[in-house]
Amino acid sequence: MLMNHANLKNRLAQLAQTFPGLFKFVFGLKYRSEIRKAQSIIIIATPGHVGSSTAFRSLVSADWGTDTRIYDIHSLTEGYNNDSEINSITPRHVEQDVIRDMLTSGEMANKKITVITLVRDPISRALGGKFQNPDVYLKEIQQESLKQDDFAAAAAMVKNDMLSSGFLEETTRWQMNFYLDELKDFYGIDLSQSDVQVDEGFMYAAQGNTQCLVFAMEYMNTQYPSKIKTYLGQDIEIVMANTNEQGAGADFYKYCKKHLQFDAPLVDRLFDYDLLKQLYPAERFQALKDQWTAR
């Protein structure tokens, strides 16, 4: 009987914990071999909590042939082992190690590289991050046992934690630095340049053997399939994944999205990035700010 996906993940996690060096070695060989044989490499590179699983699953649903490899990673500055309470010894982290090493050594200079990254309004991203990893970031409440009558008080606790811990501003800086620094440092893509092409919820930039497609998460349904067809020649359908609006705690997450609001100066500061002002049409940009601004 074939091992199902959940059991495979558990076995891999056990291997990673027991023999981390062996785990890294075996998966490192696998990814290096794949990349060396491929002609085209598609890298979904995001700062997390912006819909990367949906972007990845939507891509791999198409038939790309044997010459193309697709990887879903986060930051190339992220270590294999770190002090986080979230287990970081995963195939994704080995992918990141291999891709970083092969990029910086020039081993991918003869490949056609497509970098796909996603942007989300910074407050939605921060809130999504807390709910995606509740055991780490939602310790102040027991969301699975919350009753609807408790939502208002629990939401106030979530808001207070986001502000008092510095989580909201720190995670926004991390997100923006990813687009402004990491894409340039590792892929040679500078989104601040004047020749970047901009459409509604979409940006395109190219440098050398690398092209970069930037999508606002809020425009995925309308822009993602059409731009993948334009720049990569494939017909795809959106495959939703990893949404906080499903499963345990979904009702409370929806409540927070609808009711949490913050002081106007803070919202202005969190949205004060040229990248966001370029990517979102002016009316949508203002609507996002208004959604989170206390009246």
Side-chain angles (χ1 to χ4, degrees), residues 84-238:
S84 170
E85 297 178 61
I86 303 170
N87 174 28
S88 66
I89 308 176
T90 66
R92 168 181 276 166
H93 283 76
V94 184
E95 286 178 355
Q96 290 172 180
D97 280 355
V98 170
I99 289 172
R100 180 183 60 249
D101 292 346
M102 294 184 77
L103 282 171
T104 55
S105 68
E107 291 182 76
M108 294 173 68
N110 64 336
K111 310 294 183 184
K112 177 184 177 182
I113 300 174
T114 300
V115 179
I116 297 173
T117 195
L118 290 89
V119 178
R120 187 178 185 182
D121 106 58
I123 300 179
S124 289
R125 178 186 176 271
L127 187 64
K130 284 181 74 70
F131 276 83
Q132 194 164 322
N133 294 297
D135 293 340
V136 178
Y137 297 119
L138 276 180
K139 289 182 176 179
E140 64 270 25
I141 63 167
Q142 298 295 320
Q143 64 160 337
E144 294 185 9
S145 60
L146 280 179
K147 297 179 180 178
Q148 195 148 2
D149 290 344
D150 301 324
F151 281 5
M157 294 173 66
V158 171
K159 175 181 175 178
N160 180 67
D161 181 74
M162 292 176 77
L163 295 175
S164 63
S165 67
F167 176 82
L168 182 53
E169 295 201 70
E170 288 173 10
T171 195
T172 297
R173 281 194 295 271
W174 156 244
Q175 179 188 13
M176 292 301 127
N177 286 340
F178 177 91
Y179 307 122
L180 299 175
D181 297 331
E182 178 148 337
L183 293 180
K184 181 165 55 178
D185 292 345
F186 288 102
Y187 304 102
I189 298 296
D190 187 349
L191 295 179
S192 67
Q193 294 297 302
S194 59
D195 60 350
V196 174
Q197 301 173 34
V198 181
D199 196 358
E200 187 172 318
F202 174 78
M203 300 172 72
Y204 177 84
Q207 179 64 41
N209 66 323
T210 303
Q211 62 177 349
C212 181
L213 285 63
V214 183
F215 296 90
M217 181 177 171
E218 294 82 358
Y219 286 82
M220 284 287 285
N221 288 338
T222 56
Q223 288 285 35
Y224 198 58
S226 66
K227 299 304 184 185
I228 295 300
K229 177 66 174 178
T230 298
Y231 292 100
L232 293 171
Q234 281 280 10
D235 292 305
I236 65 166
E237 296 182 1
I238 297 293

